[in-house]
Amino acid sequence: MIKIAKVLDIKNVTKKFGKKTVVDNLTFSVNEGEILGFLGPNGAGKTTLIKMAMGLLKITSGKITVCGFDIEKDYEEAAQNFGGIIENPEMYSELKGITNIQIFSELYNDVDKQRIEEVVKLVGLKDRITDPIKKYSLGMRQRIGLAQAIIHKPKLLILDEPTNGLDPAGIKELRDMLRKLANQGTAILVSSHLLSEMELMCDKVCIIDKGKMIDIRDLKEVRKEGKTTDSGQTFEYSYDTNDNEKVFKILKEKNKNVFMENNEVHVQTTKSEIAILNRELINNNIDIYTITQKSKTLEDLFMETTTSLGKGE
Amino acid sequence: MKTLKLVKAEFIKIFARKSTWVIVILAALLVAFSFASNKIFSSVEDYDYYSDMAKWEIESLDNILSDYKDKTDNKSMLLVKMIEYKKSLLNEIKDMDIIHNEWKNELNSEYQTVKSNLLFLSLLKEGYNLSDIRKANELMYDSYVIEEEVAINYETKTEKELETYEKELKTKANELHEMLIGNKTYKDYLLREINGHKSEIASNSKLIQENKQEIIKINNKQQREALENSNKDLELSNERLNYIIYWKQYMVDKKINEENWKHSVIMNIIDYYSYSFKNDNTYTEEEYYKSDEYAEYRNKKLNVDYEDYLKIKDEEKQKVQNSFIKNVYAVENNININNGSKTILKNSSLVYQVIGVVSIIIAGTIVAKEFSTGSIRMLLIRPVKRWKILLAKLITTLIFMVILTIILFIVSFITTGICYGFSDFMTNDLNVINGKIAEVSFFIQMLKIYSISLIPVLFFVIFAFAVSTVLRSSAAAIALPLAGMLGGQIVQMLFYMNPKVWLSYTPIPYISLSPLLEGGSYADMISSMNIMYNMNISVLNGSLIYVILTVIILFITFVVFNKIDIKNQ
């Protein structure tokens, strides 16, 4: 077994603003070469945690380390090892893109001119880098934000809503770039509200709500679910047939969990059960055009976990 | 190392903003304009005040005249006569060139008095009585100043004596008229003055001789002492007159006219010299406790005993003495201390305020703007400790202030030089230390004046920086220090009008330090005020208060910035 190093390690971290607890005893870590998606509804405490991890907010209790350096005690060493974007990448809009990058890069050890050129090329801003930032579009601002985040080759990259303002092609580029960085060993923490994007981008997701950890899951497993033989789990299937009314009736008689939607019959049942139902429908002279098993998306997972918690209260 | 890089970055940010350039250029223009304005506006001022006044008075007299012209009673005829005479006098003024000529103005009022006296004398001779003349004068809105002397002379003198008196007046009037309308110069005026002083000296000497002879004859001790005292006064007066003659003769010899700066300096010398004589009436202890001065102190609930009183007197004398020495030295060594380019540059406090306002704007935005745009987040995630980032911003603000000061000094220097001449800058400046003159290079003197005057300004700039950091609001960070710096000067003025001891431990007496420096508006009152109120106001103490406050404010600022949570804006 290869020992996977924890680049970002968050242990029992709590943040209170006055009496209000915004982050409540969170513990998780991001490993080398891993892309972790950080999910949660608005106000869940995502940005608060990210800000603590980058030293912008003081930690009420608990401990955060980056490459083993305590974020509060050894801030300079820790900061040398991370880069990122928090909320919108607000830079100095009167200054040229290149000047912004230079100002920040001077504060790190070992960033030379060549590296700056390389990064500018990497984020695709080579032609516009001498324009002042105020002339940039939102997408270009995201790109220059990314450039300042990776200029010093950090071991940990923290991105807050990085897809904001990017066009579909830009999003794809970003996804490829992050994958490449991860393959080189960078640990990446991404927060976003675009669940479909996260699904494509991340290896793991961590879902929080009201400051509390709800679920942490390997996405490969989520994707796999439902593709194996019957595990006794319930899925949703939809039928498109020549006589949907009749299908509904038959299934209703069987006392199944059935409903009509978009002129299609939906039923919730297990895998082995659906095979039996299919046979029965064919025996009833019904022509089945399609049967679709709805695969579980990240959105389902997200809704499931956050709403069930809501009901519990 | 990183702090230096941050300072460089801060300068790039400040000068990337167009607003910075605009306010610096505006500040330079304002300063240049303030120095040039006297020159620009003085050439426009050519308003003949005296002839306008005369015209206006003639008009109002004509109004009165129209009411009484046709009446034949005695009183009306007297009034008409007086008005006609006044009108002829006023018409004369219109033709005299007495604008901007102080000496001519002085002679003119003397001329008017003599001419009025002549009129009264002739009216009395014609048989009008004094009360009628007074009533007529009231109807003329008191155009004449009636001197009792004329009436007394008329009643007491014999006819022959009166004739000589009238002749004397006429000669004097003619002589004054000659001085006024002829092409006489200031030099002629001075010579006339000198002659006057000389005849006063002669009559004083005569009196002294007479007194001396009298003293020998008198046996009464008290009477003798009174005469001896009067002789002493007369001798002092002669000494003073001789001194005045010396300087007036000096002006004649060196061809110094009214426009020359030396003229007003010499006038000051004469004033200081006279003052030192007038001021020799220090009370004895017994006199002091009965005096109005002491009563006034008691009224204000001040405990000023005789010892304090002597100290105050001494301080005052010392000050006059110092100014006297300085003025004499200036005239003799040809160093313009009155209205040369140097003095104009030294006495302008506007420059400090402009430096203050611009630096406060920079200090008030340098931290707060990062918060309002959100760029603070990008800055604080770098591997640099927070206090270093704040220190870099503070250093940047201070360097900016120094650069601004240099720019504005150069602007003032050049503008003043162009308007009033550069040559004056080459002469040294004068300091009086322990009654002795010390010459100081002008630029070293300016450096000293600027450094002291900018101490409070520096404090308000740091205050702006602190508010900018702690409250994270540019508006508050600019408004509060500006109110303190500019509005505080009014509070400072109120303090010097009505001092309170406990306020002397606050910055209030020191809001602006330039009036406390030599020649400033509060400088002369400080030492006696300190004795009266038992305070200890000095530039040094003021600076100390600012140093302590600055240390406290900066400590709080750095602690807060180090602990602050960078939340959403």
Side-chain angles (χ1 to χ4, degrees):
Chain A
M1 271 293 280
I2 310 155
K3 198 191 167 209
I4 299 170
K6 288 176 178 174
V7 178
L8 172 67
D9 194 17
I10 291 167
K11 259 187 204 158
N12 304 93
V13 169
T14 299
K15 175 71 189 176
K16 287 180 181 174
F17 289 124
K19 281 183 179 171
K20 204 182 159 207
T21 308
V22 182
V23 171
D24 194 358
N25 201 22
L26 279 189
T27 303
F28 68 89
S29 57
V30 188
N31 297 331
E32 214 173 83
E34 187 178 65
I35 304 179
L36 180 93
F38 200 36
L39 287 179
N42 288 337
K46 287 174 300 190
T47 304
T48 305
L49 185 84
I50 284 178
K51 280 182 169 180
M52 279 194 282
M54 296 180 94
L56 291 176
L57 297 179
K58 302 287 160 188
I59 301 165
T60 309
S61 72
K63 193 177 166 187
I64 298 178
T65 57
V66 176
C67 296
F69 296 109
D70 188 300
I71 195 76
E72 294 205 319
K73 285 178 194 139
D74 308 307
Y75 175 71
E76 282 181 323
E77 289 84 352
Q80 184 67 38
N81 284 303
F82 67 65
I85 305 173
I86 310 114
E87 292 170 333
N88 298 318
E90 296 297 352
M91 310 254 245
Y92 303 107
S93 57
E94 294 92 349
L95 301 183
K96 292 172 193 165
I98 187 75
T99 318
N100 270 286
I101 298 294
Q102 277 164 351
I103 284 177
F104 293 134
S105 66
E106 275 186 345
L107 303 173
Y108 295 104
N109 308 327
D110 319 319
V111 180
D112 54 13
K113 266 189 185 167
Q114 224 178 333
R115 171 68 185 160
I116 295 175
E117 266 173 43
E118 191 185 309
V119 170
V120 168
K121 215 166 149 188
L122 191 70
V123 297
L125 278 175
K126 210 180 164 199
D127 299 333
R128 297 290 303 275
I129 201 67
T130 50
D131 285 355
I133 298 237
K134 59 184 166 194
K135 290 190 181 162
Y136 282 17
S137 67
L138 192 56
M140 287 164 78
R141 283 175 204 217
Q142 286 291 3
R143 286 157 191 266
I144 195 93
L146 190 65
Q148 61 78 29
I150 61 173
I151 192 79
H152 55 296
K153 299 181 181 165
K155 297 229 169 61
L156 170 67
L157 186 59
I158 299 178
L159 303 173
D160 195 9
E161 307 279 354
T163 50
N164 267 3
L166 291 181
D167 53 21
I171 292 173
K172 168 122 195 356
E173 257 175 62
L174 176 73
R175 203 190 300 141
D176 294 345
M177 202 184 297
L178 293 187
R179 180 54 60 201
K180 208 170 133 195
L181 285 169
N183 289 342
Q184 287 165 6
T186 311
I188 302 172
L189 176 66
V190 190
S191 91
S192 176
H193 62 276
L194 289 177
L195 297 167
S196 52
E197 283 308 325
M198 296 290 266
E199 208 169 4
L200 291 167
M201 216 180 261
C202 303
D203 303 322
K204 240 187 193 179
V205 285
C206 169
I207 301 172
I208 65 165
D209 189 26
K210 296 186 175 112
K212 286 193 178 109
M213 169 80 77
I214 289 171
D215 202 358
I216 183 154
R217 212 176 275 215
D218 207 316
L219 269 190
K220 284 169 212 150
E221 280 168 27
V222 177
R223 284 184 206 115
K224 249 188 266 166
E225 268 175 21
K227 284 174 186 167
T228 48
T229 49
D230 189 15
S231 56
Q233 215 181 333
T234 311
F235 291 96
E236 191 179 315
Y237 297 90
S238 61
Y239 277 101
D240 191 16
T241 62
N242 61 341
D243 191 353
N244 286 346
E245 299 278 322
K246 199 175 171 190
V247 173
F248 182 76
K249 238 181 182 173
I250 295 167
L251 293 179
K252 196 84 195 169
E253 275 165 18
K254 294 266 173 201
N255 218 2
K256 293 288 167 200
N257 194 356
V258 188
F259 60 95
M260 291 286 282
E261 201 181 275
N262 296 333
N263 235 357
E264 280 183 347
V265 185
H266 294 252
V267 61
Q268 283 182 345
T269 185
T270 59
K271 262 191 171 174
S272 40
E273 195 71 15
I274 201 79
I276 298 167
L277 286 175
N278 283 342
R279 218 173 289 147
E280 188 130 342
L281 290 177
I282 292 165
N283 290 342
N284 277 298
N285 284 334
I286 288 169
D287 299 336
I288 303 172
Y289 303 139
T290 57
I291 314 171
T292 323
Q293 181 197 349
K294 271 187 98 182
S295 73
K296 233 178 193 166
T297 61
L298 195 52
E299 194 173 347
D300 298 324
L301 186 69
F302 181 68
M303 292 311 287
E304 226 171 72
T305 44
T306 52
T307 49
S308 71
L309 189 85
K311 276 175 203 160
E313 271 180 330
Chain B
M1 232 5 237
K2 279 182 180 167
T3 311
L4 279 181
K5 282 175 181 166
L6 282 165
V7 169
K8 189 182 130 200
E10 289 301 328
F11 269 106
I12 293 173
K13 288 182 218 165
I14 288 177
F15 286 106
R17 269 181 249 144
K18 280 195 190 96
S19 60
T20 310
W21 291 98
V22 170
I23 52 173
V24 169
I25 289 167
L26 277 180
L29 286 177
L30 179 66
V31 166
F33 182 74
S34 84
F35 281 106
S37 60
N38 277 341
K39 193 81 177 174
I40 294 166
F41 291 120
S42 68
S43 56
V44 183
E45 191 194 323
D46 207 13
Y47 170 62
D48 192 346
Y49 173 78
Y50 294 103
S51 100
D52 271 20
M53 279 298 286
K55 264 184 224 160
W56 180 80
E57 210 176 338
I58 289 170
E59 251 170 57
S60 77
L61 287 175
D62 275 339
N63 277 341
I64 305 168
L65 198 60
S66 61
D67 290 346
Y68 291 92
K69 213 163 44 184
D70 304 326
K71 291 186 181 166
T72 49
D73 63 300
N74 235 358
K75 279 178 189 168
S76 301
M77 274 159 73
L78 170 68
L79 183 66
V80 170
K81 226 176 229 175
M82 282 172 73
I83 289 176
E84 293 289 0
Y85 190 79
K86 185 77 194 185
K87 270 175 70 185
S88 71
L89 270 177
L90 288 168
N91 274 320
E92 269 181 318
I93 294 176
K94 278 204 299 183
D95 302 331
M96 290 172 193
D97 178 28
I98 47 177
I99 342 156
H100 312 313
N101 257 339
E102 229 172 276
W103 64 273
K104 274 197 178 178
N105 189 29
E106 216 167 90
L107 289 179
N108 175 49
S109 60
E110 207 179 327
Y111 176 67
Q112 299 264 331
T113 315
V114 176
K115 287 292 262 187
S116 313
N117 288 347
L118 276 170
L119 171 72
F120 298 140
L121 199 59
S122 71
L123 287 175
L124 289 168
K125 272 179 168 175
E126 279 173 44
Y128 293 105
N129 68 37
L130 195 63
S131 65
D132 282 344
I133 295 173
R134 282 234 166 83
K135 269 179 201 153
N137 192 33
E138 259 170 48
L139 285 172
M140 292 168 66
Y141 308 113
D142 291 316
S143 271
Y144 292 105
V145 179
I146 296 173
E147 287 195 303
E148 293 293 332
E149 188 197 324
V150 186
I152 294 166
N153 279 335
Y154 178 73
E155 272 164 30
T156 55
K157 285 188 174 172
T158 61
E159 210 164 299
K160 216 175 180 187
E161 275 175 336
L162 215 54
E163 224 164 86
T164 9
Y165 176 62
E166 198 174 0
K167 222 179 229 171
E168 266 172 26
L169 284 178
K170 272 182 183 159
T171 332
K172 204 176 173 191
N174 281 338
E175 186 215 348
L176 283 165
H177 192 251
E178 187 84 357
M179 290 287 293
L180 280 166
I181 60 157
N183 43 7
K184 299 282 180 176
T185 59
Y186 186 59
K187 188 184 155 192
D188 298 307
Y189 170 75
L190 283 175
L191 287 172
R192 183 178 175 273
E193 291 263 288
I194 290 170
N195 278 334
H197 295 321
K198 275 182 180 162
S199 62
E200 204 182 332
I201 289 173
S203 74
N204 282 347
S205 303
K206 206 175 141 195
L207 214 62
I208 289 169
Q209 285 307 320
E210 283 171 13
N211 283 347
K212 271 183 185 165
Q213 281 166 5
E214 200 79 359
I215 287 167
I216 302 165
K217 288 177 202 161
I218 289 175
N219 285 327
N220 185 323
K221 200 186 163 191
Q222 251 180 343
Q223 276 182 350
R224 209 166 57 203
E225 262 179 16
L227 282 175
E228 272 166 0
N229 276 342
S230 124
N231 263 6
K232 221 182 259 171
D233 284 348
L234 288 168
E235 268 159 18
L236 278 176
S237 167
N238 273 359
E239 202 180 308
R240 201 188 105 233
L241 286 167
N242 273 319
Y243 193 76
I244 293 170
I245 289 170
Y246 166 79
W247 280 112
K248 288 191 172 164
Q249 192 63 47
Y250 181 93
M251 284 198 273
V252 173
D253 295 343
K254 303 264 155 129
K255 298 190 173 96
I256 293 166
N257 61 12
E258 271 190 305
E259 278 94 49
N260 195 317
W261 64 267
K262 280 185 183 174
H263 170 257
S264 49
V265 175
I266 288 171
M267 285 301 157
N268 284 342
I269 292 173
I270 291 171
D271 278 352
Y272 291 137
Y273 188 83
S274 308
Y275 179 82
S276 70
F277 282 92
K278 272 190 239 158
N279 203 32
D280 220 28
N281 53 1
T282 310
Y283 293 127
T284 63
E285 188 160 359
E286 207 178 322
E287 280 172 341
Y288 171 66
Y289 286 116
K290 283 177 192 162
S291 69
D292 290 347
E293 203 172 333
Y294 182 67
E296 204 177 310
Y297 288 142
R298 291 294 300 270
N299 226 3
K300 285 186 191 164
K301 289 179 181 144
L302 292 175
N303 187 20
V304 184
D305 58 20
Y306 188 63
E307 213 173 297
D308 290 338
Y309 165 76
L310 287 181
K311 268 194 225 160
I312 293 171
K313 278 277 171 192
D314 222 46
E315 288 276 354
E316 279 172 8
K317 261 187 214 166
Q318 192 60 45
K319 242 173 248 154
V320 174
Q321 185 75 9
N322 285 350
S323 309
F324 176 74
I325 294 172
K326 191 174 166 182
N327 280 266
V328 172
Y329 190 94
V331 172
E332 283 171 351
N333 292 281
N334 216 8
I335 293 172
N336 188 349
I337 56 164
N338 193 39
N339 59 356
S341 318
K342 250 179 357 191
T343 321
I344 289 163
L345 207 53
K346 250 169 38 178
N347 290 350
S348 167
S349 56
L350 180 84
V351 179
Y352 314 128
Q353 283 169 28
V354 172
I355 292 171
V357 171
V358 177
S359 304
I360 282 170
I361 292 172
I362 296 296
T365 47
I366 197 164
V367 180
K369 198 165 191 288
E370 298 262 7
F371 278 96
S372 64
T373 60
S375 55
I376 189 76
R377 293 190 299 257
M378 282 286 156
L379 189 61
L380 288 188
I381 58 170
R382 308 299 150 188
V384 189
K385 287 198 173 110
R386 281 195 191 179
W387 67 265
K388 283 187 188 167
I389 289 175
L390 195 63
L391 180 68
K393 284 182 178 289
L394 180 62
I395 292 173
T396 308
T397 310
L398 299 184
I399 295 176
F400 178 88
M401 192 174 154
V402 171
I403 294 172
L404 184 71
T405 306
I406 293 170
I407 292 173
L408 292 186
F409 177 73
I410 292 171
V411 168
S412 342
F413 181 81
I414 291 173
T415 325
T416 317
I418 289 169
C419 292
Y420 305 97
F422 284 100
S423 58
D424 192 39
F425 293 127
M426 295 304 130
T427 57
N428 283 342
D429 215 55
L430 303 180
N431 279 344
V432 187
I433 302 156
N434 299 329
K436 277 186 183 161
I437 290 280
E439 286 197 29
V440 197
S441 150
F442 172 64
F443 293 96
I444 289 175
Q445 186 87 329
M446 276 322 276
L447 192 66
K448 198 180 132 197
I449 293 173
Y450 264 62
S451 320
I452 294 174
S453 304
L454 286 175
I455 289 171
V457 178
L458 180 65
F459 168 76
F460 284 110
V461 170
I462 288 175
F463 181 47
F465 182 81
V467 177
S468 170
T469 309
V470 175
L471 297 186
R472 281 161 280 159
S473 146
S474 308
I478 293 170
L480 288 176
L482 272 189
M485 188 178 77
L486 302 177
Q489 287 181 17
I490 296 165
V491 183
Q492 185 187 13
M493 195 184 73
L494 293 176
F495 171 83
Y496 282 100
M497 278 161 63
N498 189 12
K500 298 269 181 290
V501 179
W502 63 273
L503 283 177
S504 69
Y505 301 107
T506 68
I508 285 173
Y510 310 107
I511 298 287
S512 168
L513 275 181
S514 47
L516 272 72
L517 293 175
E518 201 206 326
S521 43
Y522 304 136
D524 287 342
M525 59 196 292
I526 290 173
S527 52
S528 53
M529 212 170 76
N530 279 341
I531 298 166
M532 275 186 238
Y533 290 84
N534 202 10
M535 295 190 295
N536 205 352
I537 289 178
S538 69
V539 171
L540 187 72
N541 283 348
S543 316
L544 211 66
I545 288 175
Y546 281 124
V547 169
I548 293 168
L549 284 178
T550 305
V551 169
I552 293 172
I553 284 178
L554 282 181
F555 178 77
I556 294 170
T557 309
F558 275 84
V559 167
V560 167
F561 189 70
N562 235 5
K563 291 204 164 156
I564 209 168
D565 275 340
I566 313 298
K567 294 187 208 166
N568 302 0
Q569 65 266 35

